[in-house]
Amino acid sequence: MKRYIVGIDENIETVCTDVLIIGSGIAGVYTALCISENVDVTILAKEEIDISNSALAQGGIAVSLGEEDSPKFHLDDTLFAGAGLSDREMVWHLVNEAKDNIKNLVDLGVRFDMTGGVLDLTKEAAHSQRRIIHAKDFTGKEVCDKLIASSKKRKNIKLLEKMYAIDIIIEENKCKATIVLDQKTGKKILFKSKYVVCASGGFGQLYEVTSNPIIATGDGMAMAYRAGATLTDMEFVQFHPTVLYHKKDKSFLISEAVRGEGAVLRNCFGERFMHNYDELKELAPRDVVARSIFKEMEKTQSECVYLDISFKDREYLEKRFPKIFATCLNLGIDISKDYIPVAPAEHYCMGGIKTDMSGKTQIKNFYACGEVACTGIHGANRLASNSLLEGLVFGKRIANDISMNHLKEKLDDKQYIIDDKGDNYSQPVSEVEKRIKKAMNSKVGIVRNESGLLQAKQVIDKTLQVLDQYKFDSMAQIQTINMATIAKIVVAAALKRTESRGAHFRSDFDQPDDQWMIHIDNTRKEIDDETFEFND
Ligand SMILES: Cc1cc2nc3c(=O)[nH]c(=O)nc-3n(C[C@H](O)[C@H](O)[C@H](O)COP(=O)(O)OP(=O)(O)OC[C@H]3O[C@@H](n4cnc5c(N)ncnc54)[C@H](O)[C@@H]3O)c2cc1C
């Protein structure tokens, strides 16, 4: 595997900034806003600024505000969902710092739904209390719009669209610069910075069917891995149980909040079935509901199941879930009368770049935040509505760390030259991408086993072997190599974990095994790039 994907020479344009943030989702922009105003911050987005997983979030943000709730209950629910692999100390910070960060959002102008003068709290699966604050069913858009608008007003923050980060340059284990492709000119730019915060989101696009938008190709994880950072818990991929299943749209999410408000699941015969799988029925943890739907679809030989909220008033549904109501109606589904066809789809990755409680990775001055990071909070399975919160809490912690230390750091004045070997890759990458997605969807999905994982490994290894010999210059090509790199790591970790835990279900090892109460760390080594270390 190449250390750097592209070469650079002495003529490359160089831009200097104190802090470079890769990503304009909630993690990236909130971090930027929390950094002191005397620090110069540049945010990059590979597409338009408002295209992110964050902007698509519907359900809301978890915070224990109810009279009968407490951070301790939120902690217990998070640890329970994490199936023994969540880091208790990290979760403790998450639940105790939630309220202050939500107050910051409200101060920045985010308008959450209110009832009787207080924030309205809804319920989601595996939460023991009503604790999800929301803005109708477009919470992510409301939050992102307000964060982006606030950052545009700040003199120390620059937001740059269509800027694709490719690799970070490291010297003596310290992050010095980032190679970026300016998609508007096709030219490479070297961003020199005291700090890099990677907030580039997840890798949903590794799968054929996902709720994630096009930006989610695992770039940040791949660049961190090439640079020597550790990726942890990569086998734990969350599948959302209820993504719309319609010939015109197989990626639109039907939020868990719909089940929180009473919706039930029915099979193709119109029968309820969740009671056959779990006593919590529709409100069981996500992995349980997704697997139950998968089994029910197999049992009834059907491609989807149905979500039924038709017993609620049309007026209520239009008001509480305006986006879901309108999107479904556009496709001919009136949710106040009709069942909604749904099937599980890839949704979230619990694993990522290993960080400590200040968002630091093993590479000095290189932080990771949001879905790209693995703080250890989610363990083997994320509790609904904890991920936007994680971006806020750890974004603030990173910002504090940078604001306190930035005066001690200097910008580097070295010139970097990186050789580029191999011929130009001239074939379209779309076919390669399709092969990866197909292998991931069919063999590395909700239910896995050794023979399927080995088949996926074969496809991905072969792809990487071929790609490794070439030079790349377009975003599509670089994304493909990043996707293949991350797919290889997910498959290897899934093969290694010979048990079932949380979102990782192996039909050939269908029970949890106490020996596996450990994390799988994946770190690139120069000679043998298939190395694993275990930690508990
Ligand atoms: C449909 C949907 C609904 C969801 N609902 C909820 C919910 O209700 N509550 C909840 O807590 N969570 C929810 N989630 C999960 C949550 O939205 C994400 O985990 C979270 O938003 C991730 O935020 P982020 O800032 O880390 O990444 P993102 O929001 O995904 O942002 C990633 C950013 O990185 C940029 N980027 C990526 N690669 C590069 C690169 N190479 N160079 C430059 N820029 C790059 C992208 O352009 C983008 O700006 C939902 C997710 C989806 C998909």
Side-chain angles (χ1 to χ4, degrees), residues 22-28 44-49 51-62 124 139 163-166 199-202 211-213 215-217 219-220 223 251 253 255 286 347-348 369-372 382 384-389 482:
I22 305 169
S24 63
I26 192 167
L44 306 181
K46 73 194 229 188
E47 295 289 349
E48 282 76 22
I49 282 162
I51 301 187
S52 63
N53 278 14
S54 302
L56 291 184
Q58 297 179 350
I61 307 179
E124 284 191 348
T139 309
M163 287 282 190
Y164 181 61
I166 301 172
S200 59
S211 63
N212 291 192
I215 52 99
T217 54
D219 296 327
M223 76 178 85
S251 68
L253 192 83
S255 164
R286 258 184 201 175
H347 185 58
Y348 183 85
C369 188
E371 192 166 339
V372 75
R382 174 180 69 108
S385 288
N386 264 353
S387 44
L388 294 174
L389 180 62
N482 284 342

Side-chain angles (χ1 to χ4, degrees), residues 188-440:
K188 282 174 268 183
I189 302 177
L190 189 67
F191 278 82
K192 288 193 170 179
S193 59
K194 294 177 181 174
Y195 302 96
V196 171
V197 180
C198 187
S200 59
F203 57 63
Q205 286 294 327
L206 250 61
Y207 287 80
E208 266 175 335
V209 193
T210 176
S211 63
N212 291 192
I214 49 164
I215 52 99
T217 54
D219 296 327
M221 289 183 205
M223 76 178 85
Y225 181 73
R226 283 193 291 272
T230 295
L231 304 185
T232 301
D233 288 346
M234 295 294 281
E235 65 277 31
F236 296 112
V237 179
Q238 183 169 78
F239 293 81
H240 197 287
T242 57
V243 174
L244 189 64
Y245 188 83
H246 188 277
K247 59 179 185 303
K248 288 196 183 144
D249 194 337
K250 289 196 175 71
S251 68
F252 181 72
L253 192 83
I254 310 293
S255 164
E256 200 131 28
V258 179
R259 274 176 285 136
E261 296 299 338
V264 298
L265 283 161
R266 297 185 184 279
N267 64 18
C268 60
F269 305 113
E271 298 157 347
R272 287 189 69 179
F273 57 87
M274 275 308 298
H275 56 278
N276 296 327
Y277 296 96
D278 195 279
E279 59 182 17
L280 291 171
K281 298 179 206 153
E282 279 80 1
L283 291 182
R286 258 184 201 175
D287 59 313
V288 176
V289 182
R291 256 189 324 273
S292 309
I293 293 177
F294 182 84
K295 283 188 191 148
E296 193 67 16
M297 280 161 43
E298 263 190 351
K299 201 166 113 188
T300 55
Q301 301 263 300
S302 52
E303 291 183 342
C304 66
V305 294
Y306 297 88
L307 196 59
D308 175 14
I309 188 129
S310 59
F311 49 87
K312 291 266 190 191
D313 281 355
R314 187 187 173 97
E315 204 183 326
Y316 163 82
L317 291 172
E318 264 187 295
K319 201 163 162 228
R320 174 65 183 87
F321 301 113
K323 191 170 170 202
I324 294 172
F325 191 92
T327 306
C328 289
L329 199 60
N330 242 338
L331 295 167
I333 306 159
D334 178 344
I335 70 169
S336 68
K337 291 189 194 132
D338 307 322
Y339 295 166
I340 314 168
V342 291
E346 194 287 345
H347 185 58
Y348 183 85
C349 36
M350 271 65 80
I353 309 168
K354 188 175 181 170
T355 63
D356 70 7
M357 59 183 68
S358 301
K360 286 181 180 155
T361 69
Q362 289 140 317
I363 298 170
K364 232 179 144 219
N365 295 6
F366 179 65
Y367 296 80
C369 188
E371 192 166 339
V372 75
C374 183
T375 57
I377 281 171
H378 310 299
N381 190 28
R382 174 180 69 108
L383 183 67
S385 288
N386 264 353
S387 44
L388 294 174
L389 180 62
E390 183 190 32
L392 297 172
V393 168
F394 288 87
K396 175 92 173 94
R397 288 180 150 261
I398 291 172
N400 288 347
D401 207 67
I402 290 176
S403 302
M404 262 177 1
N405 293 308
H406 76 103
L407 289 175
K408 295 183 213 150
E409 297 290 338
K410 275 206 190 96
L411 278 173
D412 182 31
D413 54 8
K414 256 186 95 168
Q415 195 172 59
Y416 295 98
I417 295 175
I418 296 169
D419 280 343
D420 215 0
K421 296 193 187 81
D423 295 330
N424 283 323
Y425 190 77
S426 54
Q427 292 143 38
V429 278
S430 53
E431 283 308 311
V432 182
E433 223 186 278
K434 265 191 208 154
R435 269 204 303 276
I436 299 171
K437 285 173 183 245
K438 191 160 185 246
M440 292 301 285

Side-chain angles (χ1 to χ4, degrees), residues 8 12-22 40-44 158 160-169 175-182 187-196 411-412 416:
I8 54 171
I12 189 166
E13 180 189 340
T14 301
V15 175
C16 293
T17 180
D18 290 331
V19 183
L20 184 76
I21 298 183
I22 305 169
D40 182 40
V41 179
T42 304
I43 303 176
L44 306 181
K158 261 197 216 88
L160 304 177
E161 314 192 294
K162 298 262 178 193
M163 287 282 190
Y164 181 61
I166 301 172
D167 266 316
I168 48 170
I169 295 181
C175 184
K176 301 279 186 162
T178 307
I179 307 169
V180 174
L181 179 70
D182 180 345
K187 288 197 177 136
K188 282 174 268 183
I189 302 177
L190 189 67
F191 278 82
K192 288 193 170 179
S193 59
K194 294 177 181 174
Y195 302 96
V196 171
L411 278 173
D412 182 31
Y416 295 98

